[in-house]
Amino acid sequence: MENKYLLSTLVRAKKILDFVKKRKTVTLNEVKKEFNLNSTTAFRLLYSLTELDFLVKNDRKYSLKSQVLGVENIQDINWTVVPFLKPIVDEYQLSAYVGIIFESRIVISQVIPTEKHPEDYQRLGESLPLNTTAMGKCALAFSSLSQQRDTFAKSNFESKTVNTLTDPLSLVSALKVIRKQGYALDDEEKEMQFRCLSVPLCKNNELVAVLGLSGTLSELKRSNISKLVKSLKQVGKEIELNLLE
């Protein structure tokens, strides 16, 4: 039975996204044929989905943006991680985040804020240089060597505070430590009086995203880091087992 409250254009857009997800890449003509659309309607739908950041167009072919990033299921992860991360947020009163690498920057794709800091949700969609945050450094440390080389070749590492690592040699050394210990720490490197830690989220030993916790220096105490890392790594394993099959 047809639902009179559903907008037909949104329904079409959702069907197109599902079609692209299944086919990996599609052309305008393929969308026209699959959904029996005229050229104008098909073009407007694809153009809108591209402008709204759901699709990427390359050489007349459209792909899901998440597929281009190498994280096909990141859209699902963004919402389904909440039940896994919420207990940590409640227990430690630290806001939790999911981040992905895009265009040599770390982009926050999900936020679970604490009751004390609801404003942290405004960080959703924030894009920052990889060297300025624990999440960025963690993502870079667990990326492929080609991704790392590409980042170092393209990036002029920015400074957010006096503690930000901007020297390439120092950053390379830090990435080796992060890779070995399995987590990254940002100690007032993005913002003074704030600390953040991050662990990788992988599928088949390849980076999919990173998980992060942040708070003020008094909220995320150095004495609790080992305990927090253990809890965050455990959540990461649960997400990998349940969501990244």
Side-chain angles (χ1 to χ4, degrees):
M1 184 176 179
E2 186 177 350
N3 189 329
K4 65 179 180 180
Y5 295 109
L6 288 177
L7 292 173
S8 59
T9 302
L10 290 180
V11 173
R12 280 180 176 174
K14 175 64 167 63
K15 289 180 178 179
I16 289 174
L17 289 175
D18 290 340
F19 181 57
V20 178
K21 184 175 182 180
K22 182 179 179 181
R23 296 285 296 272
K24 305 300 183 184
T25 62
V26 300
T27 63
L28 174 65
N29 285 333
E30 287 172 338
V31 171
K32 283 171 54 181
K33 182 177 179 180
E34 178 70 16
F35 299 101
N36 194 27
L37 301 172
N38 61 46
S39 296
T40 301
T41 301
F43 171 78
R44 291 181 65 183
L45 283 164
L46 289 169
Y47 177 83
S48 297
L49 289 170
T50 302
E51 286 296 299
L52 292 172
D53 246 11
F54 288 102
L55 298 179
V56 173
K57 184 181 180 183
N58 184 28
D59 193 25
R60 298 186 180 182
K61 293 183 179 181
Y62 295 85
S63 307
L64 288 180
K65 187 170 184 178
S66 54
Q67 290 174 331
V68 174
L69 296 175
V71 285
E72 297 180 21
N73 43 9
I74 195 66
Q75 301 296 342
D76 295 331
I77 291 172
N78 281 341
W79 293 108
T80 50
V81 294
V82 175
F84 295 94
L85 285 169
K86 190 65 165 63
I88 288 185
V89 172
D90 293 338
E91 180 179 358
Y92 298 108
Q93 286 301 297
L94 297 168
S95 294
Y97 304 85
V98 177
I100 59 172
I101 288 182
F102 181 58
E103 295 183 348
S104 298
R105 295 173 74 86
I106 189 73
V107 178
I108 295 178
S109 58
Q110 180 58 288
V111 181
I112 303 98
T114 64
E115 292 183 3
K116 291 189 300 182
H117 297 293
E119 71 280 1
D120 285 346
Y121 194 74
Q122 296 176 14
R123 293 191 63 193
L124 184 64
E126 186 177 45
S127 173
L128 291 161
L130 291 168
N131 64 304
T132 61
T133 69
M135 294 176 70
K137 291 186 296 180
C138 185
L140 189 55
F142 286 89
S143 293
S144 65
L145 289 177
S146 59
Q147 172 75 62
Q148 290 183 11
R149 286 194 292 266
D150 187 57
T151 299
F152 275 86
K154 291 181 179 179
S155 297
N156 292 317
F157 297 115
E158 300 176 26
S159 176
K160 293 293 184 181
T161 75
V162 294
N163 299 316
T164 306
L165 283 178
T166 56
D167 174 59
L169 291 178
S170 298
L171 188 55
V172 168
S173 178
L175 295 180
K176 290 179 180 178
V177 173
I178 291 167
R179 183 94 184 190
K180 183 177 180 179
Q181 66 189 13
Y183 72 91
L185 182 67
D186 155 14
D187 220 342
E188 298 185 281
E189 293 173 46
K190 172 186 174 286
E191 187 176 354
M192 299 303 292
Q193 300 301 312
F194 280 86
R195 184 176 284 139
C196 175
L197 65 86
S198 179
V199 302
L201 192 61
C202 298
K203 178 181 179 181
N204 299 326
N205 295 318
E206 292 186 4
L207 183 77
V208 172
V210 291
L211 305 178
L213 294 173
S214 76
T216 63
L217 298 184
S218 61
E219 291 168 343
L220 203 167
K221 299 177 180 178
R222 276 194 164 273
S223 58
N224 285 338
I225 287 176
S226 295
K227 186 177 180 180
L228 289 168
V229 168
K230 184 177 180 180
S231 295
L232 200 56
K233 283 185 175 181
Q234 182 59 45
V235 168
K237 289 185 181 298
E238 292 175 1
I239 291 171
E240 289 169 6
L241 287 173
N242 289 278
L243 304 180
L244 299 177
E245 297 178 353

